[in-house]
Amino acid sequence: MDSINHPHRGQRCGVFNRDVPRTRDGLALATAAIFPTAALGQTTTTDCEIDGNVATCTGNQSAGIDALTFPSTEVDTIIVRDLTADITPINPANSPPEDGTEGIVFISDSLEQLTLDIDLGEFSIITDGFEAQGIGATTDNGNIDITFSGNIITSDTNSEGIVAGVDGMGDVTITGEGDITTAGLNSVGVAVGIENGDVLIDWTGDIATSGDEGEGIFASAGTGNIDLRFA
């Protein structure tokens, strides 16, 4: 396994700043428009069981999973398993045709811990359209832990495979196994931006990007450390 550690790499994180252009400069690529307002809350959760602070999503989740649609704002853990179909969300009828819809979205401005445990089995997350990330998670202050198994395919501009951001203090850990394929402009395979915290990305599998300025992994941790591991 290859490991790269970058102490104190990166700049300040602007997770919610839509006005910063998506370029290679600083954090703009990974975080300038990670979660544009127009793209939030467009998925429709179809079959998730809520038990306390845990949402377990099984069966046919083809429309996508969005924590903003859960009946409880206390959910801090999403488990995805035992799927029966690909996650292939379609835009709502009132959305511009070029816009995209994310596969799995977990956004909070209050929770101090977001956990996603995703096992797609034989299925994949497949998105199409502008700013249609495969998986997106963000919180104002807190930690984000993502464990992933499966494949992600995105095909349009600003459509990262996995993207996570902390607008204040917190750590991000992403442990993944599988393949990520992106084809659009500025569509990074895995993108992480933190204001102040540590980043750990431990990935087994292929990350392939074919669009212009589409890096495999982009991470920034403010004053924290970045640890990248590949196998």
Side-chain angles (χ1 to χ4, degrees), residues 4-209:
I4 305 173
N5 186 273
H6 297 288
H8 311 304
R9 178 186 171 192
Q11 304 173 30
R12 291 174 60 85
C13 170
V15 176
F16 297 102
N17 187 354
R18 292 188 67 188
D19 299 325
V20 179
R22 297 282 291 236
T23 70
R24 293 177 182 272
D25 297 331
L27 281 178
L29 175 66
T31 60
I34 283 179
F35 298 111
T37 302
L40 295 185
Q42 292 185 351
T43 59
T44 302
T45 300
T46 55
D47 185 21
C48 293
E49 179 180 344
I50 309 298
D51 184 6
N53 65 332
V54 178
T56 302
C57 306
T58 62
N60 186 346
Q61 299 290 336
S62 59
I65 299 167
D66 186 351
L68 293 177
T69 67
F70 293 160
S72 171
T73 59
E74 300 303 314
V75 171
D76 60 14
T77 300
I78 297 176
I79 299 172
V80 180
R81 58 177 173 78
D82 300 330
L83 296 183
T84 59
D86 290 331
I87 296 177
T88 55
I90 299 175
N91 291 348
N94 61 346
S95 297
E98 68 274 9
D99 281 358
T101 300
E102 297 90 341
I104 299 175
V105 184
F106 200 177
I107 296 171
S108 174
D109 58 6
S110 60
L111 295 174
E112 296 181 355
Q113 175 70 46
L114 303 184
T115 300
L116 294 98
D117 186 354
I118 302 167
D119 185 351
L120 300 179
E122 63 184 277
F123 299 103
S124 302
I125 297 174
I126 303 171
T127 71
D128 185 25
F130 182 67
E131 293 177 342
Q133 293 87 16
I135 299 171
T138 183
T139 185
D140 281 359
N141 286 284
N143 300 323
I144 298 175
D145 292 326
I146 300 174
T147 302
F148 176 82
S149 177
N151 299 320
I152 298 174
I153 301 170
T154 75
S155 59
D156 213 328
T157 300
N158 294 353
S159 298
E160 293 86 356
I162 298 176
V163 62
V166 179
D167 204 30
M169 295 186 64
D171 301 330
V172 171
T173 300
I174 298 175
T175 303
E177 181 176 2
D179 296 338
I180 295 177
T181 304
T182 73
L185 173 69
N186 289 343
S187 295
V188 179
V190 179
V192 177
I194 301 176
E195 179 77 21
N196 187 5
D198 295 333
V199 175
L200 169 61
I201 300 173
D202 189 345
W203 196 266
T204 301
D206 294 332
I207 299 176
T209 65

